[in-house]
Amino acid sequence: MASIFVPEGSVPILHHYPMSPFAEKARLMLGFKGLDWQSVYIPSVMPKPDVVALTGGYRRTPILQIGADIWCDTALIATVLEHLKPAPALFPDAVKGVARIVAQWADSTLFWASMGHNLGPRGAAALFANQPPEAAQTFAADRGAMSSGMTRVRPGDAASAYRSYLRRLAHMLHGQSFLLGDAPCIADFAAYHPLWFTRHLVPPMAGILEATPEVLAWMDRMAAIGHGKPTKLGASDAIAIAAAAEPAPLSPEVFQDDHGIALGSRVTVAAESFGPETTEGILLAATRTHYTLERHDERAGRLHVHFPRVGYVLREVRA
């Protein structure tokens, strides 16, 4: 695992909102680690001025803040939490490679199949049942902008794929409590969160889970992990924490240059597909696992913003 420096005694700050499935993944990982953490609620749709003050443009949920370091994407957040508290392990040595592969599949293929099923007409109506009509319209427009250019699967086709994937998860659980053994790992947290959305946020769509009782029992075991020890924090307070801090020292890891872009160059980083907003800054590090950009914000001060390499596009800003 690549070295990430996290100062001893750091209290992570999670910027999230309750119905975000990827935030549920992060909340549950924090609970698994038994960590004290601070909880900042953010809007589910744009504008998100307090988030952008920290990230410079990236707006997907959640983000993890430790002082003046901002960690984007739950794949990278999981690695940070592993360095913050190594045990219990999200990446056990015996299954580290396969766990990452299953997690990447779950965060992409499984997630989008589930959402195609979850947010069909009945699911969307259930999700916004107690909100004014404009809330659903605003959410749909926001997510439409985030997914511009993506191919979206129709609800019926998504349901067919989702059923197949649920059966595969059930097969993995045969004779064991979790996907890759007797203890949860990153594969479990990645596979759980889209199913959590189905079960808890769109109950009319949750019948699809009933054909796989092994999966339902596993979901109960995952839910029992809980969210650890969160305390509420205001967004302005989180920004003040960043402004008062200095970014942590960077790992002395070897620079992996796959783009012909030198360290110190002005660059942008953006997700390959969903959420195309860019973050611009100075490229400080490009390790085998992640990029680090330095940027300055008038409210948050000097920041290091970190992105995974997998799933993100690095481009040089040319004058």
Side-chain angles (χ1 to χ4, degrees), residues 166 173 192 194-200 209 214-224:
L166 289 168
L173 290 164
Y192 174 78
L195 280 60
W196 165 85
F197 193 99
T198 305
R199 194 180 199 184
H200 294 284
L209 301 171
E214 303 94 336
V215 170
L216 286 171
W218 163 77
M219 291 183 71
D220 290 340
R221 291 190 288 274
M222 291 297 295

Side-chain angles (χ1 to χ4, degrees), residues 258-294:
D258 294 329
H259 301 82
I261 300 175
L263 296 181
S265 301
R266 179 160 290 276
V267 298
T268 62
V269 173
E272 286 179 351
S273 54
F274 186 68
E277 294 82 3
T278 60
T279 292
E280 183 173 328
I282 301 301
L283 182 65
L284 295 184
T287 74
R288 63 184 178 82
T289 60
H290 67 279
Y291 304 115
T292 298
L293 274 59
E294 180 177 274

Side-chain angles (χ1 to χ4, degrees), residues 4-5 22 33-34 39 72 79 99 106 130 142 152 159 166 170 183 186 204 212 222 230 240 255 288-289 299 301 304:
I4 290 174
F5 180 74
F22 279 96
K33 293 292 188 180
S39 169
C72 302
T79 302
N130 299 316
D142 183 83
R152 303 300 293 269
L166 289 168
I186 189 61
T212 50
M222 291 297 295
F255 172 43
R288 63 184 178 82
T289 60
R299 296 169 62 200
H304 286 178

Side-chain angles (χ1 to χ4, degrees), residues 63-88:
I63 60 171
L64 188 77
Q65 175 188 352
I66 299 178
D69 285 89
I70 310 301
W71 303 90
C72 302
D73 197 293
T74 56
L76 184 54
I77 289 170
T79 302
V80 174
L81 296 181
E82 194 82 334
H83 282 80
L84 188 60
K85 188 176 180 183

